Amino acid sequence: MTYVVGFPRIGEQRELKRALEAYWAGNSSQEELQKTASDLRKRHWVYQKNANIDLISINDFSFYDNMIDAMVMLNATPAKYDDIDNCMDKYFAMARGDDNHKAMEMTKWFNTNYHYIVPELDENMDFKATITKIKAEYKEAKELGISPKVNFIGLITFVKLSKIVNGSEDKIIEKLIPVYVDLINQLKELDNNITIQFDESYFVTNPTSKDLETLKKVYDELTKAHDNIFVATYFEHSNEANEVLAKTNIKGMFLDFVAGSENSIKPLVEAGKKVGIGIVNGRNVWVNDIEESVKFLKGIAEVANSEDILVGSSCSLLHVPFTLKYEEKMDSDIKSWLSYAVEKLNEIKIIDKLFRGVELDAEEKADLVANQEAIATRKTSTKIHNQVVKDRVSNLTQEDEHRNMPFEERIKLQHENLKYPILPTTTIGSFPQTPEVRKLRRDYKNGVISVDEYEAQIKKWIDELVELQEKLDIDVLVHGEFERNDMVEYFGEQLEGVAFSQNGWVQSYGSRCVKPPLIFGDVSRPKDMTVKWITYAQSKTNRPMKGMLTGPVTMLNWSFVRDDQSRSATGYQMALAIRDEVNALEAAGIKVIQVDEAALREGYPLRNDKKAEYEDWAIRGFRITTSGVKPETQIHTHMCYSEFSDIMDAIEAMDADVISIENARSDNSLLEIFKQRGYKGEIGPGIYDIHSPRIPSVEELVEQIQALMKVLPVEKLWVNPDCGLKTRKWAETTPSLENMVKATKIVREQLK
Ligand code: GLN
Ligand code: ZN
């Protein structure tokens, strides 16, 4: 038996994105949108059917997100949207806001780059199951001759990932049990034997014993209603839950054997449960080593009945691109090492057949040969392996990860060198990416304009920005990042060992997709990446110009990273490549260099016991990147979040001279931790929120700076916005910064 946990829905050419955006823009009707959706579902099921997948999902489709879908189906929508009559309008108002309603909050789905809508639960809600959406999909699947499995978010994970706005979690769980039972009963009316998959990935985090008691209780109740329930967990092992669920009447579990290779199936096997071995990676794009997978499964078959073993994807294939079919320009070797969702279906099928001793047909045989060739060439290809890079990593010493002077001493040199005033002002890097900026880059990329025309225009914008910052009287300047499309892509494009796909889109949220770089080989930096622009900008001013780079952890976290060596090995290679750029900037006369680690926090492992291992390489990576400079060169870092209490050791160990952080919460409570710890570095807590178009007034900014001074020593404080300004308009940016500098000067006066 084969299964997939779920399938991407955006469409192989992002058809759903286009349909949604046309609908939102008022250019198409609800019927047209529904028609596209239904066509896509069918196409996706046919792909799975053709690959002999036995358990094909329904309800993995969504117009926006499955959590919001569940919220609707459970009648758990916040009352503030009740004035909207039309269901579809209401749905999109919750997902993305409308003229009269704010959108609901969105957050990252576990440690992925997919964002879900966070339900707001109230214990007084009138929960009720309505399965109209599922019924319609069921009917469509049936028409294609498919007896589908129904995906639905598990009760506990649904509640745990929601925000409780009123009442208690226990009460809500209690109230939802009969609603889930009713949901199951309604599903059974479609088919008395229907397979139901409840996703309970909350249990891969760090469940408490109370959580596990609740798990037992909930599934004891739900399995009274039905005997064909599977529980899926992914992104880690769920050993505690495996043990508990083995004692309930679930039919089986789907487990992640890629990210959760520690998963123990023993309790499940002993209890006669089915076990889904998720061995084809739903989070990464590299070919599966089919023969290794078969070997692994045969090992499992020594302790379990092979009829009880199902072969499938490690998690939903939502997190990988669709199909290699459209990769027409990619290097053929690199392409041979890749497998997207559709190709992964084929891998699952072949693995299952080989495992069960079923003869492959001619096409499958050829696929297997190609697969083993790809595995072999990955081991030796000179496109992947670069001995110079490997040697550099193995020759790294302690010295390479330490600045050669302690912070307290080097900061003095930096002050002499840079001569910035008390409460120095700066920005995080980017300035508005206007339609003209985007068009210029596009025209250059498409060969519509020449290099000279392109560079002349970028320089003109840099000139204007330098002039503006001087006029605003900002102390440490930036060049504005006009040449950058994206903080990871820009560097990825210039590094050896990193490739880009044409059509490798992955849904990030709603209709938005990202195309992560592919780190396929040993990483190195053949030439300067930013020096030209930064030194040009520096030549236009006497004030310090910040060099602006993306750090190694963020480069990895927002890419597909090769799986043929440890993540840390790739991380160190990336660190050395960026270190080369840091050193080149310094050699070119740049005195302040910022290395952004926007994704450090989200890269943390889901299991606490793996935290230390991650921190070890992540911090070393940052230190390797930034330790090659002279003491008087100032290293900044920037992080886009405001929750530091649990990662403070790591932040300190990074040993940056200045850290700028998000500080959206007005009570400055997050800074308490920096105070308590006596954080030694200088800190720029964002003094206004760049995610909003609002222009903060001088008065409120004065108050904000004064409030910061109550928490942190003034001689350590920097004044800056809380993130890059690329998403803002000029009409918001200039006055906001003007007010920021005015406010700073008022406070400086008060200090005299
Ligand atoms: N330097 C980047 C910018 O200003 C940082 C972006 C980020 O933190 N996400 O755009
Ligand atoms: Zn940021």
Side-chain angles (χ1 to χ4, degrees):
M1 271 257 248
T2 53
Y3 68 98
V4 283
V5 175
F7 201 73
R9 56 205 181 226
I10 203 78
E12 60 194 47
Q13 295 193 294
R14 290 180 295 156
E15 292 87 344
L16 183 60
K17 172 193 176 69
R18 301 221 167 78
L20 283 166
E21 289 172 2
Y23 175 72
W24 293 336
N27 296 333
S28 79
S29 65
Q30 252 176 48
E31 290 68 41
E32 285 169 290
L33 179 58
Q34 293 285 11
K35 169 84 172 56
T36 305
S38 155
D39 290 348
L40 285 173
R41 285 192 291 263
K42 282 183 197 146
R43 192 207 273 163
H44 302 162
W45 289 326
V46 168
Y47 271 132
Q48 296 173 76
K49 197 177 164 204
N50 289 346
N52 289 353
I53 301 298
D54 296 302
L55 293 177
I56 298 176
S57 320
I58 58 169
N59 202 36
D60 52 352
F61 180 84
S62 176
F63 279 124
Y64 207 92
D65 161 56
N66 301 116
M67 278 293 268
I68 184 173
D69 293 351
M71 187 177 88
V72 171
M73 287 188 264
L74 296 169
N75 198 35
T77 59
K80 57 192 171 209
Y81 300 96
D82 282 351
D83 59 314
I84 310 171
D85 290 330
N86 183 290
C87 299
M88 187 85 105
D89 291 346
K90 179 170 169 181
Y91 180 87
F92 287 127
M94 294 187 290
R96 45 198 303 276
D98 66 13
D99 289 346
N100 306 311
H101 304 81
K102 261 177 79 172
M104 295 181 73
E105 202 180 292
M106 194 163 66
T107 195
K108 290 207 180 203
W109 179 245
F110 297 90
N111 56 359
T112 73
N113 218 348
Y114 174 78
H115 300 69
Y116 70 95
I117 301 285
V118 185
E120 295 168 17
L121 302 181
D122 176 335
E123 66 171 31
N124 297 321
M125 279 175 160
D126 181 21
F127 300 124
K128 201 165 66 210
T130 312
I131 63 160
T132 326
K133 172 182 186 286
I134 301 177
K135 250 191 212 157
E137 291 183 22
Y138 179 83
K139 214 173 131 243
E140 288 175 342
K142 268 294 192 198
E143 278 163 16
L144 290 175
I146 292 166
S147 288
K149 120 174 115 73
V150 180
N151 289 13
F152 204 88
I153 184 77
L155 193 162
I156 301 168
T157 300
F158 177 70
V159 176
K160 290 283 184 182
L161 265 44
S162 296
K163 203 158 65 179
I164 312 283
V165 292
N166 179 45
S168 82
E169 190 180 285
D170 291 348
K171 175 89 184 288
I172 290 171
I173 290 177
E174 199 65 43
K175 272 184 80 171
L176 277 172
I177 294 174
V179 180
Y180 266 68
V181 168
D182 184 39
L183 176 98
I184 293 167
N185 286 330
Q186 291 184 48
L187 293 174
K188 283 172 75 179
E189 279 169 29
L190 299 172
D191 168 0
N192 204 36
N193 282 323
I194 200 157
T195 307
I196 302 175
Q197 168 187 317
F198 284 125
D199 290 24
E200 287 287 14
S201 247
Y202 168 74
F203 288 91
V204 307
T205 53
N206 302 280
T208 62
S209 47
K210 179 166 176 251
D211 293 335
L212 294 164
E213 273 165 39
T214 311
L215 182 69
K216 176 83 168 67
K217 185 172 147 198
V218 166
Y219 283 87
D220 276 343
E221 286 304 317
L222 301 189
T223 50
K224 276 183 202 157
H226 193 42
D227 58 8
N228 197 9
I229 293 176
F230 281 80
V231 174
T233 62
Y234 32 81
F235 307 146
E236 253 298 348
H237 75 80
S238 52
N239 279 334
E240 304 88 341
N242 303 358
E243 209 165 297
V244 169
L245 287 167
K247 297 187 200 111
T248 70
N249 286 323
I250 62 160
K251 181 79 163 256
M253 287 186 81
F254 300 132
L255 300 171
D256 183 335
F257 271 87
V258 178
S261 55
E262 302 92 332
N263 260 315
S264 158
I265 59 165
K266 196 161 170 270
L268 294 162
V269 169
E270 283 172 2
K273 307 293 179 201
K274 306 258 179 215
V275 277
I277 307 295
I279 199 163
V280 169
N281 195 343
R283 286 287 291 277
N284 217 334
V285 290
W286 315 104
V287 286
N288 185 282
D289 185 340
I290 291 181
E291 303 224 306
E292 275 303 311
S293 297
V294 174
K295 238 188 260 166
F296 179 78
L297 286 163
K298 288 196 170 148
I300 288 189
E302 283 170 18
V303 293
N305 273 331
S306 39
E307 310 87 75
D308 289 336
I309 299 173
L310 289 81
V311 179
S313 62
S314 66
C315 60
S316 169
L317 299 174
L318 175 72
H319 309 289
V320 290
F322 245 90
T323 161
L324 286 167
K325 185 159 87 186
Y326 302 98
E327 299 295 349
E328 291 147 346
K329 296 189 191 148
M330 192 181 273
D331 174 283
S332 62
D333 284 333
I334 296 178
K335 191 171 168 181
S336 77
W337 300 324
L338 294 173
S339 167
Y340 292 174
V342 171
E343 292 77 31
K344 284 174 191 287
L345 297 174
N346 197 41
E347 291 178 346
I348 294 173
K349 174 179 71 170
I350 296 176
I351 294 170
D352 187 67
K353 281 195 168 179
L354 291 172
F355 167 55
R356 291 180 211 285
V358 177
E359 173 127 33
L360 302 184
D361 67 25
E363 206 178 317
E364 291 158 353
K365 277 185 189 149
D367 288 345
L368 178 62
V369 171
N371 173 273
Q372 290 305 297
E373 256 171 39
I375 298 296
T377 55
R378 273 186 91 188
K379 293 198 175 114
T380 54
S381 169
T382 50
K383 286 181 186 158
I384 295 182
H385 301 281
N386 178 340
Q387 199 53 44
V388 179
V389 174
K390 292 186 207 295
D391 289 345
R392 272 190 86 187
V393 172
S394 36
N395 293 335
L396 277 167
T397 63
Q398 281 288 315
E399 231 164 82
D400 297 319
E401 48 180 284
H402 284 94
R403 302 284 302 266
N404 51 20
M405 190 185 277
F407 172 79
E408 292 73 12
E409 290 168 44
R410 65 179 195 255
I411 193 75
K412 285 186 201 135
L413 294 182
Q414 291 167 16
H415 278 251
E416 282 163 29
N417 195 22
L418 297 166
K419 300 191 176 59
Y420 51 75
I422 192 136
L423 295 171
T425 52
T426 192
T427 59
I428 306 305
S430 58
F431 268 74
Q433 292 262 334
T434 57
E436 299 81 71
V437 175
R438 289 177 213 280
K439 180 169 185 301
L440 183 81
R441 278 199 312 261
R442 209 167 43 237
D443 285 352
Y444 172 51
K445 212 173 168 181
N446 297 337
V448 178
I449 55 168
S450 69
V451 187
D452 292 344
E453 284 171 283
Y454 170 72
E455 297 199 341
Q457 184 57 50
I458 297 274
K459 283 183 178 164
K460 196 169 148 258
W461 283 327
I462 293 178
D463 292 346
E464 286 168 11
L465 181 62
V466 170
E467 202 180 308
L468 174 74
Q469 292 174 95
E470 288 195 337
K471 200 177 111 216
L472 290 170
D473 206 8
I474 292 176
D475 301 303
V476 174
L477 310 195
V478 298
H479 79 298
E481 302 183 22
F482 301 115
E483 78 287 13
R484 300 184 191 177
N485 31 7
D486 171 272
M487 66 189 284
V488 168
E489 197 181 349
Y490 180 77
F491 293 96
E493 280 173 343
Q494 304 186 71
L495 292 167
E496 297 280 341
V498 183
F500 285 83
S501 63
Q502 236 174 306
N503 201 47
W505 296 103
V506 179
Q507 192 173 9
S508 171
Y509 63 87
S511 66
R512 221 188 119 91
C513 299
V514 294
K515 210 166 56 170
L518 311 167
I519 306 182
F520 67 91
D522 290 336
V523 177
S524 61
R525 164 193 169 279
K527 52 181 196 297
D528 290 351
M529 301 188 283
T530 64
V531 177
K532 182 171 74 185
W533 297 121
I534 306 294
T535 49
Y536 175 77
Q538 181 68 83
S539 75
K540 298 283 159 173
T541 179
N542 292 323
R543 302 182 188 220
M545 176 62 60
K546 263 200 280 193
M548 197 57 65
L549 303 171
T550 301
V553 185
T554 301
M555 289 297 298
L556 260 59
N557 278 337
W558 289 346
S559 301
F560 285 120
V561 181
R562 60 194 284 196
D563 62 353
D564 58 343
Q565 65 179 20
S566 68
R567 213 173 159 83
S568 60
T570 307
Y572 296 141
Q573 294 181 355
M574 186 63 79
L576 281 168
I578 302 168
R579 174 187 171 106
D580 291 346
E581 186 72 12
V582 171
N583 295 352
L585 283 168
E586 179 186 68
I590 301 303
K591 300 187 170 97
V592 183
I593 299 163
Q594 178 173 311
V595 178
D596 291 328
E597 282 293 17
L600 180 93
R601 189 164 219 311
E602 68 187 56
Y604 267 75
L606 296 168
R607 288 269 173 188
N608 290 339
D609 56 3
K610 293 185 180 166
K611 188 174 155 180
E613 187 197 333
Y614 169 74
E615 285 182 337
D616 184 60
W617 78 257
I619 293 159
R620 262 190 87 198
F622 184 86
R623 295 180 63 127
I624 291 165
T625 307
T626 53
S627 291
V629 293
K630 293 180 287 194
E632 54 268 41
T633 298
Q634 187 166 67
I635 297 291
H636 288 221
T637 189
H638 165 70
M639 295 181 191
C640 302
Y641 31 85
S642 49
E643 187 48 56
F644 287 92
S645 40
D646 51 340
I647 59 166
M648 209 48 207
D649 289 333
I651 301 293
E652 282 176 342
M654 286 167 72
D655 199 27
D657 299 311
V658 183
I659 178 174
S660 62
I661 56 179
E662 187 185 298
N663 183 32
R665 276 186 295 167
S666 51
D667 60 358
N668 298 323
S669 58
L670 82 102
L671 295 172
E672 282 295 339
I673 184 79
F674 284 86
K675 180 185 178 182
Q676 272 169 30
R677 302 279 295 232
Y679 180 73
K680 64 179 187 330
E682 303 193 347
I683 312 171
I687 68 160
Y688 74 89
D689 178 13
I690 62 94
H691 303 96
S692 150
R694 222 181 121 257
I695 298 164
S697 68
V698 175
E699 296 71 43
E700 72 179 86
L701 291 171
V702 167
E703 271 174 40
Q704 179 61 9
I705 298 170
Q706 287 167 336
L708 290 174
M709 285 161 43
K710 293 211 177 84
V711 193
L712 295 167
V714 65
E715 49 301 337
K716 283 190 189 300
L717 269 182
W718 284 64
V719 177
N720 47 256
D722 70 353
C723 196
L725 299 161
K726 65 172 163 233
T727 56
R728 295 271 60 88
K729 298 195 168 75
W730 278 109
E732 299 147 3
T733 302
T734 311
S736 296
L737 292 176
E738 200 175 309
N739 290 354
M740 180 182 92
V741 177
K742 273 190 195 149
T744 307
K745 288 182 176 169
I746 292 173
V747 180
R748 282 182 194 149
E749 269 311 304
Q750 293 167 349
L751 283 170
K752 277 190 183 153

